[in-house]
């Protein structure tokens, strides 16, 4: 197996181009409860529990190329159903509009957009022992039990005090102009497994997770992303890998750029991926 093979991975930070940094910071602090970990002229790092989850880069006056491959959503994984309930109650109290909610069988999820239209998922996983249907992992779309989630939060006796510090980046869901090419790249070059697929969307993972990366063709994008062009959109995302995986990835990605801290590659949608060592 090329690339990652059976190595366990973690999803790292996601970087976004935004039109107004202060507007974005206000949203991510108030609506999501992220902490500002670092800020410089025109950029900021945000996270939870001291863990970096987002990097924001201001592109004032820029617009989004609607025809380019881009982010569909980044997904923040909360550590428990009660934590998701606290987050839901906060969103209701703060009158933050949701764009959707669903029970995916493997998880329970809330959806919303930031001020620039970047999609956000907030979710909690069910135990892995509950993921299988007819012997395989299946993602479904059913009505979310909002009241059950809120009740579990109330039963915990804890009040919302920002995004739960145990929150991590769970997965990224991308929009592509070339779904077959994207699937071949993640499976044949990086060593991901296809968990679920149809002609319009593919869910992929490493080491048995329900999905670390999803790619869809729902929006009929026409060309690859070009984050260096200075527009609003996804700039890069991180995959955190064990030290031993870096050599395998370098062989699978001969055109990738090597730095002291990362192996930098692009998928067929033009989206940069930074492979960094887990724990660094």
């Amino acid at each position: 197996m090329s690339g990652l093979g059976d190595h366990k991975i973690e999803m790292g930070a996601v970087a976004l181009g935004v039109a107004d940094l202060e507007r974005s910071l206000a949203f991510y602090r108030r609506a999501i409860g992220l902490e500002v970990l670092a800020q410089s002229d025109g950029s900021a790092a945000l996270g939870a529990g001291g863990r970096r989850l987002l990097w924001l880069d201001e592109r004032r006056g820029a617009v989004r190329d609607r025809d380019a491959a881009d982010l569909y959503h980044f997904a923040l994984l909360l550590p428990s159903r009660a934590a998701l309930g606290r987050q839901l109650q906060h969103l209701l109290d703060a009158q933050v509009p949701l764009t959707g909610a669903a029970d995916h069988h493997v998880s329970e999820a809330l959806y919303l957009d930031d001020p620039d239209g970047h999609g956000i998922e907030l979710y909690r996983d069910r135990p892995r022992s509950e993921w299988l249907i007819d012997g395989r992992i299946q993602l479904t779309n059913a009505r979310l039990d909002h009241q059950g989630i809120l009740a579990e939060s109330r039963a915990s006796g804890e009040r919302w005090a920002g995004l739960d510090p145990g929150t991590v980046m769970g997965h990224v869901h991308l929009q592509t102009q070339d779904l077959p090419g994207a699937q071949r790249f993640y499976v044949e070059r990086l060593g991901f497994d296809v968990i679920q697929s149809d002609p319009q969307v593919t869910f992929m993972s490493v080491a048995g997770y329900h999905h670390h990366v999803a790619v869809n063709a729902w929006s009929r994008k026409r060309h690859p992303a070009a984050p260096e062009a200075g527009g609003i959109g996804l700039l890069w995302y991180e995959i955190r890998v064990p030290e031993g995986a870096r050599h395998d990835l370098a062989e699978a990605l001969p055109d990738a750029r090597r730095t002291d801290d990362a192996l930098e590659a692009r998928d067929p949608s033009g989206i940069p991926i930074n492979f960094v060592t887990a724990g660094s």
Side-chain angles (χ1 to χ4, degrees), residues 179-199:
L179 185 60
Q183 181 172 318
R184 285 193 301 272
F185 173 82
Y186 283 99
V187 173
E188 297 175 11
R189 301 283 296 280
L190 299 188
F192 278 65
D193 297 314
V194 174
I195 300 300
Q196 191 167 313
S197 183
D198 68 33

Side-chain angles (χ1 to χ4, degrees), residues 21-240:
L21 182 61
E22 289 304 320
R23 180 183 68 174
S24 293
L25 289 176
F27 170 83
Y28 280 107
R29 284 167 163 163
R30 180 184 68 88
I32 309 299
L34 287 165
E35 306 166 337
V36 176
L37 304 178
Q39 184 173 355
S40 59
D41 186 25
S43 62
L46 299 94
R51 180 185 300 105
R52 186 179 73 162
L53 298 171
L54 282 183
W55 176 264
L56 303 180
D57 188 64
E58 185 176 66
R59 277 112 185 266
R60 187 167 286 276
V63 297
R64 187 187 302 275
D65 181 349
R66 300 291 178 182
D67 291 328
D70 203 348
L71 180 72
Y72 187 63
H73 62 242
F74 66 86
L76 297 173
L77 173 59
L78 284 80
S80 67
R81 196 178 198 222
L84 184 63
R86 288 191 292 274
Q87 198 71 29
L88 174 57
Q89 186 64 65
H90 167 70
L91 293 170
L92 294 171
D93 292 343
Q95 299 183 324
V96 178
L98 295 177
T99 59
D103 185 328
H104 295 306
H105 180 69
V106 298
S107 63
E108 294 179 300
L110 308 170
Y111 296 94
L112 64 159
D113 288 342
D114 81 356
D116 291 285
H118 299 300
I120 304 166
E121 177 180 347
L122 300 165
Y123 76 111
R124 73 98 183 182
D125 278 339
R126 285 195 169 92
R128 288 191 178 222
S129 60
E130 300 178 16
W131 289 2
L132 301 184
I133 300 175
D134 297 330
R136 63 186 181 91
I137 299 172
Q138 294 190 42
L139 289 79
T140 64
N141 277 297
R143 186 180 181 88
L144 186 69
D145 179 11
H146 293 78
Q147 294 306 315
I149 292 170
L150 292 170
E152 191 147 343
S153 171
R154 290 192 291 269
S156 74
E158 296 183 42
R159 297 183 62 84
W160 187 84
L163 188 64
D164 191 287
T167 300
V168 299
M169 188 66 66
H171 64 266
V172 295
H173 191 150
L174 309 172
Q175 302 178 90
T176 182
Q177 86 295 346
D178 180 7
L179 185 60
Q183 181 172 318
R184 285 193 301 272
F185 173 82
Y186 283 99
V187 173
E188 297 175 11
R189 301 283 296 280
L190 299 188
F192 278 65
D193 297 314
V194 174
I195 300 300
Q196 191 167 313
S197 183
D198 68 33
Q200 293 295 309
V201 63
T202 300
F203 298 88
M204 298 166 285
S205 78
V206 174
Y209 191 53
H210 56 72
H211 67 296
H212 290 107
V213 175
V215 185
N216 77 64
W218 296 327
S219 299
R220 299 185 179 182
K221 299 299 184 180
R222 296 182 182 179
H223 55 82
E228 65 279 354
I232 302 304
L234 176 63
L235 305 183
W236 47 259
Y237 75 91
E238 288 179 342
I239 298 179
R240 307 179 71 81

